[in-house]
Amino acid sequence: MNLAELLAPVSPETFFAEYHDKQPLHVKGGAAKFAAVLGWRGINRLLDMTHAWSSQSLKLYLDGTPIPAEQYCVSALSRDSQTLMQPDAAKLAQHIARGCSVVMNDVDSLTPGLAGVSAALEGAGLGKAQANVYISWQSHKAFPAHYDTHDVWAVQVEGEKTWNIWEGRAEWPISHPVFRSQDQAHHEQAKGRLREKVLLKTGDLLYLPRGWYHDALAEAPASVHVAYGAHAVLGMDVMNILMERVLYETSFRQPLPRQDGSAAAKFALTQRVGQMGAKLAELARDPKVLSVIEGFIAGHRFHRGGNDLLAARGLMAPAAPAGDAEALGFRVIAAGARPVRRGAEWVLKTEGGALALAPAEAEAAGWLLARPDVTEAELQVAYPAVDAKALLARLAGAGLVLAG
């Protein structure tokens, strides 16, 4: 995936001219657009990687209130033999039954689909792109109105969610106590009037510039979105680079003039500080320093993936077994589609027309379309009289399910 595919049908040129760091953007997409990013089956697979999670990487919230770790975790040993709080499946299920929202932090390298969106953002020079998954349930809000200290790219992968976009915007906040210490009363006042309500459906994208006030509430029985935080290079990063450079300037290593309260001492200090400021300005124009800054911006991305152990030995990976039904899942992307009877025949309405089905196929299609996803093996077990492979191929061809 690249930025053009992520934004389509909005062009990158339009985005940078009219929206980037200027105003929110809602891009409507079809249900299949982000099907390869994440789905319920993928979420469960990630959660089943038990040792990958802790109370820091997986958090629960109920109507804006965080759930204490001891209520959904158990004490366990990490892989490096450190004691930590590890989420427990049974306890998680109890809290989810109450309506608790689930936040899965730092997931952008866990699957190719999740990593693909990060790569698109980073490849466009938008900064380091970190991702969190937000799973919420109808009528339960995880967070009150707030802003983020980075650009937000919300990718809706399941269900629907209504976002309140407020008029207020904090002026380029950063992750610093000056901003983190602001209480909710401040946010409620600073958010301003409601700018718009955005209903994010499966396949939709919402872009919010850094500092823009927002909150969201699930509309469907369940909602999942992946929030990608794009952390751009800041002016303060230039100061850090200059800090490294002035290590080689003796005037920056020397003690400042001693202050005894006299006018002469104060003048000496003013002179020294002015000289250092002038030196910083000189360094900021130095082609070598500018080259370092340019390189820092170009390399400002997370390094993920890239492993191919067989290729490192000059070997070729074996081909995947043909027809691996267990490995290949089919995600339902036609929410609400159901077979209907027309006389003696059964049909499924699709964008391309009506898909005729045999009675046994109609029953099997109704069963699988009521699920978020299915594998060929699961369909074959549930309906042994149906050619599961052929039926899934027909449904995929009609745009009702997506393989992967």
Side-chain angles (χ1 to χ4, degrees):
M1 182 175 289
N2 56 36
L3 188 65
E5 294 169 327
L6 188 63
L7 286 168
V10 177
S11 70
E13 292 77 15
T14 298
F15 170 73
F16 285 115
E18 301 179 14
Y19 297 97
H20 181 234
D21 205 29
K22 298 180 182 72
Q23 62 174 323
L25 171 65
H26 174 207
V27 180
K28 295 182 179 181
K33 184 173 183 179
F34 298 125
V37 175
L38 192 65
W40 289 114
R41 184 182 298 274
I43 289 170
N44 288 333
R45 284 175 177 167
L46 289 178
L47 290 175
D48 282 345
M49 298 176 187
T50 307
H51 296 291
W53 303 101
S54 71
S55 59
Q56 296 302 310
S57 57
L58 193 145
K59 295 180 178 292
L60 297 185
Y61 296 85
L62 182 60
D63 300 325
T65 302
I67 303 299
E70 57 270 19
Q71 292 189 18
Y72 68 94
C73 295
V74 295
S75 181
L77 286 178
S78 68
R79 291 182 179 270
D80 55 1
S81 300
Q82 299 297 313
T83 302
L84 50 69
M85 296 298 288
Q86 193 172 86
D88 176 77
K91 292 185 175 183
L92 275 178
Q94 292 173 0
H95 285 286
I96 288 172
R98 296 170 54 212
C100 286
S101 297
V102 181
V103 181
M104 303 165 67
N105 291 319
D106 301 317
V107 300
D108 46 278
S109 65
L110 298 187
T111 72
L114 289 166
V117 178
S118 286
L121 297 174
E122 293 173 344
L126 293 168
K128 291 184 176 181
Q130 174 266 350
N132 299 334
V133 175
Y134 293 85
I135 306 166
S136 51
W137 318 100
Q138 194 167 35
S139 302
H140 288 283
K141 182 183 292 187
F143 305 103
H146 65 284
Y147 62 74
D148 290 289
T149 56
H150 49 72
D151 283 6
V152 173
W153 295 74
V155 172
Q156 187 75 18
V157 296
E158 293 284 1
E160 299 178 358
K161 200 165 196 176
T162 295
W163 291 65
N164 294 319
I165 312 299
W166 304 91
E167 289 184 343
R169 181 185 183 185
E171 289 189 314
W172 294 280
I174 60 174
S175 184
H176 186 277
V178 167
F179 298 96
R180 292 198 299 266
S181 62
Q182 295 170 338
D183 60 19
Q184 192 56 38
H186 167 84
H187 294 313
E188 293 299 325
Q189 183 177 8
K191 71 181 184 183
R193 294 180 299 177
L194 185 65
R195 184 181 193 265
E196 61 180 316
K197 279 184 175 287
V198 173
L199 177 60
L200 220 58
K201 297 184 177 182
T202 304
D204 284 5
L205 168 73
L206 178 64
Y207 164 75
L208 293 172
R210 175 161 57 118
W212 211 288
Y213 275 98
H214 61 278
D215 60 78
L217 183 66
E219 293 293 343
S223 166
V224 182
H225 77 272
V226 186
Y228 289 85
H231 300 257
V233 177
L234 309 179
M236 296 180 69
D237 293 313
V238 174
M239 297 303 297
N240 291 332
I241 293 173
L242 290 175
M243 179 65 183
E244 292 295 319
R245 178 61 181 79
V246 298
L247 290 173
Y248 302 97
E249 301 294 330
T250 56
S251 61
F252 285 83
R253 302 199 306 269
Q254 292 173 345
L256 292 173
R258 185 179 63 85
Q259 295 298 291
D260 57 10
S262 68
K266 184 175 181 180
F267 178 76
L269 177 62
T270 302
Q271 287 289 96
R272 175 70 71 79
V273 173
Q275 290 168 0
M276 290 191 296
K279 187 60 179 181
L280 284 174
E282 178 187 334
L283 289 172
R285 295 188 295 269
D286 186 326
K288 292 182 179 179
V289 174
L290 288 172
S291 178
V292 171
I293 295 172
E294 290 171 359
F296 180 80
I297 295 172
H300 193 68
R301 59 190 301 163
F302 289 115
H303 299 285
R304 60 176 75 82
N307 291 296
D308 191 336
L309 304 188
L310 288 175
R313 294 289 298 173
L315 303 173
M316 183 178 295
D324 189 351
E326 283 296 334
L328 185 61
F330 289 81
R331 184 172 177 195
V332 175
I333 57 175
R338 296 290 183 274
V340 294
R341 189 166 187 170
R342 289 183 180 174
E345 296 182 343
W346 288 86
V347 296
L348 261 170
K349 291 183 179 180
T350 71
E351 291 184 359
L355 181 66
L357 298 171
E361 290 180 323
E363 185 179 354
W367 174 82
L368 75 88
L369 290 172
R371 299 162 59 91
D373 52 34
V374 69
T375 65
E376 180 185 323
E378 290 170 340
L379 178 60
Q380 198 66 73
V381 170
Y383 292 89
V386 172
D387 186 338
K389 184 175 183 178
L391 177 58
L392 287 168
R394 294 180 65 200
L395 295 178
L400 301 174
V401 300
L402 183 70

